[in-house]
Amino acid sequence: MQSSSFYAHHSPWGAYASFCLGFYGRGGGFALSDVHPPDWNVYIGYARPGQLGRLLPFFSGSGRGKGAAAFVGTDPRHDANQMNVLPFQPREITRTMTWAGDTWQAGDLTFRLVTPFGPVPPLETLDEAERRFHLAPAILAEITLDNRSSDEPARLIFAMDGMRRVLSDVTSGALLGAGTGTSVAVACLPTPEAQELLHWDIVEPAFYGEPIINRLGTQGGLVFTVPAGEKRTYTLALATYQGGIVTTGIPARFAYTALFRSVEEVAAYVLEHRERYLALARERDEELERAPLNRYRKFMLAHFTHSYLANTELLMDEQGRLIWVVNEGEYQMMNTFDLTVDQVYWELRYHPWTVRNNLDLFVARYSYTDKVKDREGNLYPGGIAFTHDMCVANHFTPPGHSSYERTNIKGCFSYMSHEQLDNWILTGSLYGLLSGDEGWLREAAPVFRDCLASLVARDRNGDGIMDADSDRCGNSSEITTYDSLDASLGQSRNNLYLAMKTWAAYVCLGRVFRRLGLAAEAAKAEDQAARAAATVASKFIPEEGYIPAVFEGGNTSRIIPAIEGLIYPFMLGDDDAVSPNGRFGRLISALKTHLATVLRPGVCIDATSGGWKLSSTSENTWVSKIILCQYVAERVLGFDFGDRSEEWDRVHASWQTEGCAMQAATDQVWSNTGTDRGSRLYPRLVTAVLWLDQAR
Amino acid sequence: MQSSSFYAHHSPWGAYASFCLGFYGRGGGFALSDVHPPDWNVYIGYARPGQLGRLLPFFSGSGRGKGAAAFVGTDPRHDANQMNVLPFQPREITRTMTWAGDTWQAGDLTFRLVTPFGPVPPLETLDEAERRFHLAPAILAEITLDNRSSDEPARLIFAMDGMRRVLSDVTSGALLGAGTGTSVAVACLPTPEAQELLHWDIVEPAFYGEPIINRLGTQGGLVFTVPAGEKRTYTLALATYQGGIVTTGIPARFAYTALFRSVEEVAAYVLEHRERYLALARERDEELERAPLNRYRKFMLAHFTHSYLANTELLMDEQGRLIWVVNEGEYQMMNTFDLTVDQVYWELRYHPWTVRNNLDLFVARYSYTDKVKDREGNLYPGGIAFTHDMCVANHFTPPGHSSYERTNIKGCFSYMSHEQLDNWILTGSLYGLLSGDEGWLREAAPVFRDCLASLVARDRNGDGIMDADSDRCGNSSEITTYDSLDASLGQSRNNLYLAMKTWAAYVCLGRVFRRLGLAAEAAKAEDQAARAAATVASKFIPEEGYIPAVFEGGNTSRIIPAIEGLIYPFMLGDDDAVSPNGRFGRLISALKTHLATVLRPGVCIDATSGGWKLSSTSENTWVSKIILCQYVAERVLGFDFGDRSEEWDRVHASWQTEGCAMQAATDQVWSNTGTDRGSRLYPRLVTAVLWLDQAR
């Protein structure tokens, strides 16, 4: 990659907690119930006698604590500009991000953050020991010093700002380390080589003097004395614990609080089981390493996985029911359906039961029945629809309401009733037909039926696509998930992207009803799919080789997401549906031509950067959707882009490590500059896991 | 007062929570488990149709939210420099701080924060309803608009940054308001005049348009439509809730969590019982208003009470045992004994059982038995001593250890064994002899006995004062609470201040043992008191009229706290002990002369400001100790300072409202400039409650 200075999340599964690190000249630290990187100085490095200590550049300014001055007044020691250390320069550092890790190597130091992940079986099938393994809200780190070339012992530290206590105060020495409050701890198992640190200015005494435990200190951690001539690795737990009720609307706690009573218990657990965690991480790392993907795709999948995990949150309500939440990066909306439907490929791979959990809560609490209105404002019966999200910032919104949607709003923040109806159908179909959970599919049959009826109610002219808006919009009209991207993608009615997703919803419903033996419903869905396909195909302009983004107002925008909807039939194995020679052949052929037309510099290839832009009329582009559409192009439509493909991947990866380096995984990027535009610290990019299916 | 722009705390009792407000051009908001004023913009004001809205100046910059930009990208509306409002200018504002309140009046607006307090009986004597009344972690506010001169309705708002939800989402409309997380809420009872607000830019729609509930918003609150021609007051609850285990070392929760399940329950409770709370506040306000004190003393007692309450924390451990904590302002040390012994006058007045709670925990967990060493380092048996504090930042330190004291430290952060031994004796004597808790006194007899023995063990030469240091100091020696003030007050051996406190400890012990019928112990204590008195009196230099601060090294510092120890016998009613004609007459006479000598400009009256400085050789002066010594001078020693007294009070009050305006109550002040030097946001100044005894 071009730059190794970028933030990444490092997170356990389902704990809405991460350790953020990676941007040079700035700190990092623990983010709890949030994903914004904090700016706590982090001190990782070593010193040998008579030499200046070396630190990775994860601190800003002098790195000195400010705590002592309040006690003792002006202290000239604190006027010094710098700690007495030599930070590693970027060119001295080799950073390697792997699927379940992130490693910095500099001088004789190797520091690795380890974020093991893998399949999480349904909790009710696990005994308590297994639950603890999967839910422990901690990650591991390994700090290594190769002191073999030295005939003197060296000091090796991991410490950070914001620490207020040493762990031995409460663990009787069974754990060593530092923590703050009841929520955060950095710990290791005791060894004679390890000493705890707590002070205001922690580095200099740890490197050059006697390690200090000053309980008033505001920097804390561990120092290891590595023997002369030895190479040593020490394993750390970076543990979190958010106790008590953390949500409103549905009062709930983190599920892991039923398994662990304190952050020390968490830290002790993961250190005790470190070999199993490390093996799991190794398994993932090797899996990605082996995959036949170019290095940019490997990097992106790893980076995006890190940010997805950071946004995951497994809650338990007061009745003991689990609630699965993926938070929406910087926006903190919870279970935004536009994300759920794109993250489903990840979750079906590792924990399909969380998809069901989301689907069921959308039905039970976040569905509503509306009326629809035509352009003249006449009202007609509507049907079931779903909210855009369930809540924001740990506040569950009231039943039937999202945090995002409001009435009488033009553009952003209006309702997305039709698209979320599509999203439930699509997500439900994938789960119902791919997970093997036949029982759920049968139970959900009435919902699928209601969904079909609701879709049809929104197609008043019988052309298979939406033409009536929900009355929840008030004096406005519905929008799509691409609300903020471009007018070409914002409105729902007569929208190419949404029409294709609706076509896909009908195709999927047809397959669901066939599986359920509901022939009449299946036939209706299939008929609607045919109508939708015909409608979209009819909008193709042969002489120009594209389908306009909106079928009205003389719109001439060219958009890549025209093809997005093709993925759903493909995932269900309906190759005929997506074949130019199949029953929707005219549509598929038109889309292939469309894609070839738009993938040109100055149209949907940014003329400056060379990256994909979703719309010809906007420089706001969304990386997760690029990846999804790349997958459709390559795998579903069979495009072979040759060398262009890797060059595109290189550009897209560079956006993450350069323009968006301070934002961890970023979805909304300016296609010309590669800088972040929105959707920072985002989970949805984990859709990139599709690349692994492609690789099979 | 000179300036009305200064921060104050507004806090319920025992909740370690405050609403901070008062410095112009900056926000404020809720501080939880901390006392530093946050900088959330707070919007309090009104608008009438066709006129610019007016706001109290409790916001900085434009006051605009930044939330929308992340969703919609660059938004030109956010480039505007200012909200469309006219902040009140300082000269338009009248601020009145009362004992249990703080009121701002400007234009037709009156905004009052109400912090009711009063006696808190032992919880075990209260039924649950009474416990809820005393422990509810909320304060009240009253917002009033006089719209009688207007023939149009007006909009009146209370709103702030950092709010993420509306309360009606979870209260079904039984409460209106806004909150964030599970921890903070601003609420009112429903009335047709009230509407909830939540948005990014909350003020303009509330003043000039339609109030908006946008659940993605980051500013929230309430807007009231005040009818034309009416004057209306609305009562708000500013409620907090910190759930779950909040401490380590002794895992404990806030005691109120056993009585309330959520912040909404707290808010509803205080609004329901608002009349009783308002009456209690009125009672306190009137009591202070009636007291025969000058206006500066009234102001200071009120201001200091506000910050004391902000630092109070009533915990309950996992066995249901209560733990009373007063946090030490910016330092966050818990139950620092140097503060406990000075806050005892407040606590004996309102809740003596918390004094006992502290004393017992000091014995059970925060005492130790040391050896003592002479100057040559020879070790001898020592005795019981107590730690400087119990913990810091909600981390209870291990038994027998404070967060402050360390071994082998010269000066600040060394041990204070002797002074804390004095402090237990003095606090214990006041509680044991003044609270009427005879049972406790009898139970504590062995501790008092151990304390006497330990004091004597530290006086190896039999002159009644300390001459041996605890071996806990290692290669260093003991310090006093005035550690950071001046070398003249720092060392314990041969220290005038500590000698007088030790004399007082012996006098008090004598009275305790007499009450317990322990004649031998009483006689020993009385004998030691006589020796101490003789020693100190012998250090008096008649020709210069003072006693040096340290009885060695040719020290010539003059210090006011020479007289501090006199308060203890006086409080126990031992007028003879503090009379120039009593059994310690020579000492008392010397101290009277000493005080008259030092209270001169350039000695212990600052030549620049005219305020008291504790030591002739330091410009670091501590307001709480000034007040304590003023009390001793006036009430115990009978000084009549005439007009000088009120002028001193004026100077001391101005330090709080000017130089220390951003720090709420501040103890350590530079005596020349009146600016803060340390001990910011401090509880100990509540010692000023002594002024009310004086007024009796």
Side-chain angles (χ1 to χ4, degrees):
Chain A
M1 295 314 116
Q2 290 85 343
S3 168
S4 62
S5 171
F6 61 90
Y7 274 120
H9 292 115
H10 305 92
S11 314
W13 182 85
Y16 203 4
S18 38
F19 187 78
C20 304
L21 201 72
F23 194 87
Y24 298 153
R26 285 176 61 91
F30 291 99
L32 301 182
S33 290
D34 191 14
V35 285
H36 287 88
D39 188 12
W40 299 355
N41 291 326
V42 180
Y43 309 108
I44 305 168
Y46 63 96
R48 295 199 176 95
Q51 298 178 18
L52 267 187
R54 306 298 309 268
L55 288 176
L56 291 173
F58 296 134
F59 55 95
S60 55
S62 71
R64 286 188 176 279
K66 305 238 183 307
F71 287 90
V72 298
T74 310
D75 181 344
R77 288 183 307 143
H78 291 269
D79 296 337
N81 288 324
Q82 291 295 333
M83 289 182 296
N84 202 19
V85 297
L86 187 62
F88 283 109
Q89 297 302 304
R91 63 183 159 66
E92 297 180 273
I93 304 168
T94 303
R95 179 179 186 178
T96 311
M97 176 171 278
T98 58
W99 207 6
D102 206 355
T103 304
W104 292 264
Q105 196 282 321
D108 294 325
L109 171 75
T110 306
F111 179 72
R112 183 158 83 104
L113 290 166
V114 188
T115 46
F117 68 92
V120 182
L123 296 199
E124 67 272 16
T125 67
L126 300 179
D127 61 20
E128 181 159 327
E130 282 300 294
R131 290 185 190 199
R132 284 162 71 92
F133 180 78
H134 289 291
L135 266 56
I139 66 165
L140 293 167
E142 291 183 318
I143 186 166
T144 302
L145 185 70
D146 185 346
N147 204 31
R148 287 176 297 183
S149 65
S150 171
D151 54 8
E152 295 197 90
R155 296 271 178 85
L156 176 66
I157 69 166
F158 179 90
M160 55 192 300
D161 285 359
M163 299 288 102
R164 300 300 301 271
R165 63 188 179 104
V166 289
L167 300 184
S168 61
D169 274 359
V170 298
T171 63
S172 309
L175 280 182
L176 299 178
T180 193
T182 54
S183 61
V184 159
V186 174
C188 72
L189 294 176
T191 139
E193 293 152 35
Q195 285 174 277
E196 293 176 322
L197 299 171
L198 193 63
H199 196 39
W200 297 298
D201 293 332
I202 207 172
V203 175
E204 288 183 59
F207 271 175
Y208 311 120
E210 280 308 303
I212 293 175
I213 294 180
N214 162 14
R215 290 192 178 81
L216 302 178
T218 52
Q219 301 178 348
L222 288 157
V223 59
F224 303 92
T225 301
V226 180
E230 302 272 350
K231 179 177 179 179
R232 289 284 164 90
T233 294
Y234 306 95
T235 304
L236 309 176
L238 307 185
T240 71
Y241 193 88
Q242 301 180 70
I245 299 288
V246 294
T247 55
T248 63
I250 304 173
R253 14 186 116 239
F254 278 94
Y256 63 71
T257 61
L259 302 167
F260 299 96
R261 283 171 309 171
S262 69
V263 70
E264 289 82 12
E265 215 176 280
V266 171
Y269 177 87
V270 299
L271 288 170
E272 184 189 347
H273 295 82
R274 63 191 177 284
E275 291 307 331
R276 185 176 168 198
Y277 283 114
L278 293 173
L280 181 62
R282 205 155 44 235
E283 192 182 317
R284 284 291 90 69
D285 285 352
E286 289 170 2
E287 183 180 351
L288 183 61
E289 193 48 42
R290 274 197 315 270
L293 301 178
N294 68 49
R295 59 188 176 133
Y296 306 111
R297 290 195 175 185
K298 285 180 184 171
F299 164 73
M300 284 191 278
L301 175 53
H303 189 45
F304 299 158
T305 298
H306 285 259
S307 284
Y308 168 81
L309 288 170
N311 280 283
T312 59
E313 180 173 11
L314 185 65
L315 298 167
M316 181 178 284
D317 74 8
E318 290 175 319
Q319 288 73 45
R321 287 179 298 232
L322 295 174
I323 302 173
W324 172 251
V325 174
V326 179
N327 293 280
E328 191 179 348
E330 63 171 324
Y331 306 126
Q332 294 191 279
M333 287 182 280
M334 301 167 79
N335 291 335
T336 303
F337 219 153
D338 306 328
L339 275 64
T340 307
V341 70
D342 288 348
Q343 291 154 186
V344 69
Y345 311 107
W346 179 275
E347 297 187 2
L348 287 179
R349 184 180 180 102
Y350 290 115
H351 34 80
W353 57 274
T354 65
V355 178
R356 173 179 173 161
N357 187 285
N358 281 169
L359 287 165
D360 289 348
L361 191 56
F362 266 112
V363 172
R365 186 174 166 108
Y366 292 102
S367 60
Y368 56 89
T369 300
D370 61 359
K371 290 192 171 54
V372 297
K373 54 174 192 160
D374 61 19
R375 288 183 189 213
E376 289 70 44
N378 301 308
L379 290 178
Y380 304 93
I384 191 171
F386 300 88
T387 61
H388 169 269
D389 58 77
M390 298 184 176
C391 36
V392 64
N394 276 343
H395 304 309
F396 283 96
T397 42
H401 291 276
S402 69
S403 63
Y404 183 94
E405 293 155 310
R406 287 181 280 148
T407 300
N408 299 334
I409 297 280
K410 310 274 184 218
C412 282
F413 314 118
S414 183
Y415 272 83
M416 300 190 190
S417 311
H418 197 288
E419 180 159 12
Q420 306 314 341
L421 175 59
D422 285 345
N423 284 340
W424 198 94
I425 294 166
L426 296 167
T427 309
S429 300
L430 293 182
Y431 176 75
L433 296 174
L434 297 180
S435 72
D437 188 348
E438 291 282 338
W440 180 85
L441 192 65
R442 233 172 301 281
E443 281 167 33
V447 184
F448 279 106
R449 246 199 227 110
D450 289 347
C451 286
L452 173 62
S454 184
L455 271 191
V456 170
R458 287 155 215 276
D459 170 24
R460 296 199 46 80
N461 68 4
D463 66 355
I465 69 172
M466 169 188 168
D467 48 46
D469 287 285
S470 173
D471 65 337
R472 283 215 168 183
C473 298
N475 62 23
S476 183
S477 51
E478 287 183 38
I479 58 174
T480 80
T481 190
Y482 288 105
D483 51 0
S484 65
L485 190 140
D486 183 358
S488 75
L489 284 163
Q491 80 167 57
S492 292
R493 265 186 285 106
N494 278 324
N495 176 304
L496 169 59
Y497 152 75
L498 192 64
M500 282 303 302
K501 218 163 161 180
T502 304
W503 165 81
Y506 282 124
V507 174
C508 292
L509 280 175
R511 296 184 70 87
V512 165
F513 292 129
R514 292 283 165 211
R515 174 78 66 93
L516 289 168
L518 298 168
E521 288 84 350
K524 177 68 182 170
E526 288 156 2
D527 176 58
Q528 284 290 112
R531 289 165 189 250
T535 299
V536 175
S538 77
K539 306 299 181 183
F540 181 67
I541 306 172
E543 53 275 26
E544 305 197 32
Y546 82 99
I547 307 172
V550 180
F551 309 148
E552 64 182 49
N555 182 289
T556 60
S557 290
R558 279 88 158 151
I559 61 167
I560 293 175
I563 64 170
E564 189 178 320
L566 299 179
I567 193 169
Y568 303 101
F570 176 80
M571 281 289 151
L572 297 186
D574 190 346
D575 292 342
D576 177 79
V578 295
S579 164
N581 307 314
R583 61 193 190 278
F584 304 112
R586 190 172 150 230
L587 171 66
I588 305 304
S589 296
L591 288 169
K592 287 191 78 160
T593 305
H594 172 95
L595 186 65
T597 300
V598 305
L599 283 183
R600 289 188 194 146
V603 186
C604 291
I605 299 297
D606 189 274
T608 305
S609 71
W612 282 32
K613 59 202 287 275
L614 295 182
S615 165
S616 64
T617 48
S618 174
E619 274 157 347
N620 177 0
T621 196
W622 299 5
V623 177
S624 66
K625 294 295 197 181
I626 290 175
I627 292 169
L628 188 56
C629 291
Q630 280 182 313
Y631 179 81
V632 172
E634 296 172 358
R635 184 88 167 113
V636 182
L637 296 178
F639 277 75
D640 179 353
F641 296 117
D643 294 344
R644 286 203 293 167
S645 180
E646 182 159 337
E647 171 59 13
W648 287 330
D649 293 334
R650 186 193 65 74
V651 172
H652 301 155
S654 76
W655 292 349
Q656 298 297 322
T657 57
E658 297 183 353
C660 305
M662 289 186 70
Q663 310 296 341
T666 301
D667 203 12
Q668 291 194 33
V669 177
W670 294 114
S671 62
N672 47 354
T673 60
T675 52
D676 54 296
R677 185 272 180 203
S679 299
R680 300 165 183 92
L681 314 154
Y682 219 59
R684 179 165 60 184
L685 297 104
V686 79
T687 303
V689 75
L690 285 168
W691 283 328
L692 293 185
D693 289 319
Q694 187 173 35
R696 273 183 201 148
Chain B
M1 295 315 117
Q2 291 83 342
S3 167
S4 62
S5 172
F6 61 90
Y7 274 120
H9 292 117
H10 304 91
S11 312
W13 182 86
Y16 204 5
S18 38
F19 188 79
C20 303
L21 201 73
F23 193 87
Y24 299 152
R26 284 175 61 92
F30 291 97
L32 300 183
S33 289
D34 191 14
V35 285
H36 288 88
D39 187 12
W40 299 354
N41 290 326
V42 180
Y43 308 106
I44 305 168
Y46 63 96
R48 293 197 178 98
Q51 298 177 19
L52 266 187
R54 307 298 310 269
L55 287 176
L56 291 173
F58 296 134
F59 55 94
S60 55
S62 71
R64 287 190 175 276
K66 304 236 183 307
F71 286 91
V72 298
T74 311
D75 181 342
R77 289 182 307 143
H78 291 268
D79 296 337
N81 288 324
Q82 292 294 332
M83 287 183 297
N84 202 20
V85 297
L86 188 63
F88 283 110
Q89 297 302 305
R91 61 181 161 67
E92 297 179 273
I93 303 169
T94 303
R95 179 179 185 177
T96 311
M97 176 172 277
T98 59
W99 207 6
D102 206 354
T103 304
W104 292 264
Q105 195 282 318
D108 294 324
L109 171 76
T110 306
F111 180 72
R112 184 159 82 103
L113 289 166
V114 188
T115 46
F117 69 91
V120 182
L123 295 199
E124 66 272 17
T125 68
L126 300 178
D127 62 18
E128 180 158 327
E130 282 301 294
R131 291 185 189 198
R132 285 163 71 92
F133 181 78
H134 290 291
L135 266 57
I139 65 165
L140 293 166
E142 291 182 319
I143 186 166
T144 301
L145 185 70
D146 186 346
N147 204 31
R148 286 177 298 184
S149 66
S150 171
D151 54 9
E152 296 197 88
R155 296 270 178 86
L156 176 66
I157 70 167
F158 178 91
M160 57 192 299
D161 285 358
M163 299 287 103
R164 298 300 300 271
R165 62 188 179 105
V166 289
L167 300 184
S168 61
D169 274 359
V170 298
T171 63
S172 310
L175 281 182
L176 299 179
T180 194
T182 55
S183 61
V184 159
V186 174
C188 74
L189 295 175
T191 138
E193 292 152 35
Q195 286 174 277
E196 294 176 321
L197 298 173
L198 193 61
H199 196 39
W200 297 298
D201 293 334
I202 206 170
V203 175
E204 289 183 58
F207 272 176
Y208 311 119
E210 280 308 303
I212 293 175
I213 295 181
N214 162 15
R215 290 191 178 82
L216 302 178
T218 53
Q219 302 178 346
L222 288 156
V223 58
F224 303 92
T225 301
V226 180
E230 302 273 349
K231 180 177 180 179
R232 290 284 164 89
T233 295
Y234 306 96
T235 305
L236 309 176
L238 306 185
T240 70
Y241 193 88
Q242 300 180 71
I245 300 289
V246 293
T247 56
T248 63
I250 304 174
R253 18 187 112 237
F254 279 93
Y256 63 70
T257 61
L259 303 166
F260 299 96
R261 283 172 308 171
S262 69
V263 71
E264 290 81 13
E265 214 175 281
V266 171
Y269 177 86
V270 299
L271 288 170
E272 185 189 347
H273 295 82
R274 65 192 177 283
E275 289 308 331
R276 185 174 167 199
Y277 282 114
L278 293 173
L280 180 62
R282 205 156 43 235
E283 194 183 316
R284 285 290 92 69
D285 285 352
E286 289 170 2
E287 183 181 352
L288 183 60
E289 193 47 42
R290 275 197 316 269
L293 301 179
N294 68 49
R295 59 186 174 136
Y296 306 111
R297 290 193 175 186
K298 285 180 183 170
F299 164 73
M300 283 191 280
L301 176 52
H303 189 44
F304 299 157
T305 298
H306 285 260
S307 284
Y308 168 80
L309 289 170
N311 280 284
T312 59
E313 180 172 11
L314 186 65
L315 297 168
M316 181 178 283
D317 74 8
E318 289 175 319
Q319 289 73 45
R321 288 179 298 234
L322 295 174
I323 302 173
W324 173 250
V325 174
V326 180
N327 293 282
E328 191 178 348
E330 62 171 326
Y331 306 127
Q332 294 191 277
M333 285 182 283
M334 301 168 79
N335 291 334
T336 303
F337 218 155
D338 306 328
L339 274 65
T340 308
V341 70
D342 288 349
Q343 291 155 186
V344 69
Y345 311 108
W346 179 276
E347 296 187 3
L348 286 178
R349 184 179 180 101
Y350 290 116
H351 34 79
W353 58 272
T354 66
V355 179
R356 171 179 174 161
N357 186 285
N358 280 168
L359 288 165
D360 289 349
L361 191 57
F362 267 113
V363 172
R365 184 173 168 108
Y366 292 103
S367 60
Y368 56 90
T369 300
D370 62 359
K371 291 191 169 56
V372 297
K373 54 173 194 162
D374 63 19
R375 288 184 191 216
E376 289 70 43
N378 301 309
L379 289 178
Y380 305 94
I384 191 171
F386 301 89
T387 60
H388 168 270
D389 59 75
M390 299 185 177
C391 36
V392 64
N394 276 344
H395 303 309
F396 283 96
T397 42
H401 291 275
S402 69
S403 63
Y404 184 93
E405 293 154 313
R406 285 180 283 148
T407 300
N408 298 334
I409 297 281
K410 311 271 183 220
C412 281
F413 314 118
S414 182
Y415 272 83
M416 300 190 189
S417 312
H418 197 288
E419 180 159 12
Q420 306 314 342
L421 175 60
D422 285 345
N423 285 340
W424 198 94
I425 295 167
L426 296 167
T427 309
S429 301
L430 293 181
Y431 176 76
L433 295 174
L434 297 180
S435 71
D437 188 350
E438 290 283 339
W440 180 84
L441 193 64
R442 233 170 300 281
E443 282 167 32
V447 184
F448 280 106
R449 250 201 223 106
D450 290 346
C451 285
L452 174 62
S454 183
L455 270 190
V456 171
R458 288 155 215 277
D459 169 25
R460 297 201 45 83
N461 67 4
D463 65 356
I465 70 172
M466 168 187 168
D467 47 45
D469 288 285
S470 174
D471 64 337
R472 283 217 170 182
C473 298
N475 63 22
S476 182
S477 52
E478 288 183 38
I479 57 172
T480 81
T481 189
Y482 288 106
D483 51 0
S484 65
L485 190 140
D486 184 359
S488 75
L489 285 163
Q491 81 167 59
S492 293
R493 266 188 284 104
N494 281 322
N495 176 304
L496 169 58
Y497 151 76
L498 192 64
M500 282 303 301
K501 217 164 162 181
T502 304
W503 164 83
Y506 282 125
V507 175
C508 291
L509 280 175
R511 297 184 70 88
V512 164
F513 291 130
R514 291 287 166 207
R515 174 78 66 92
L516 289 168
L518 298 169
E521 287 84 349
K524 176 67 180 169
E526 288 156 2
D527 176 59
Q528 284 290 111
R531 290 165 188 252
T535 300
V536 175
S538 77
K539 307 298 182 185
F540 181 68
I541 306 170
E543 52 274 27
E544 305 197 34
Y546 81 99
I547 308 173
V550 180
F551 309 148
E552 65 181 49
N555 181 291
T556 60
S557 290
R558 282 86 161 154
I559 60 164
I560 293 175
I563 64 171
E564 188 178 320
L566 299 178
I567 193 168
Y568 303 101
F570 176 81
M571 280 289 151
L572 297 185
D574 190 346
D575 291 342
D576 177 80
V578 295
S579 163
N581 308 313
R583 62 192 190 279
F584 304 111
R586 187 167 154 239
L587 171 66
I588 305 303
S589 296
L591 288 169
K592 287 192 78 160
T593 306
H594 172 95
L595 186 65
T597 301
V598 306
L599 284 182
R600 287 188 195 146
V603 187
C604 289
I605 300 296
D606 188 276
T608 304
S609 71
W612 282 32
K613 59 203 287 273
L614 294 182
S615 165
S616 64
T617 47
S618 174
E619 275 157 347
N620 176 1
T621 196
W622 299 5
V623 177
S624 67
K625 294 295 196 181
I626 291 175
I627 292 170
L628 188 56
C629 291
Q630 281 182 313
Y631 179 83
V632 172
E634 296 172 358
R635 183 92 166 111
V636 182
L637 296 178
F639 278 76
D640 179 354
F641 297 117
D643 293 343
R644 287 203 293 166
S645 179
E646 180 158 339
E647 171 58 13
W648 288 329
D649 293 334
R650 187 193 64 75
V651 171
H652 301 155
S654 77
W655 292 348
Q656 299 297 322
T657 56
E658 296 182 355
C660 305
M662 288 186 70
Q663 309 296 342
T666 301
D667 202 13
Q668 291 195 33
V669 176
W670 293 113
S671 63
N672 47 355
T673 59
T675 50
D676 54 294
R677 185 271 182 203
S679 299
R680 300 164 183 93
L681 314 153
Y682 220 58
R684 178 165 61 184
L685 297 105
V686 80
T687 303
V689 75
L690 285 167
W691 282 328
L692 292 186
D693 289 321
Q694 185 174 36
R696 273 182 201 150

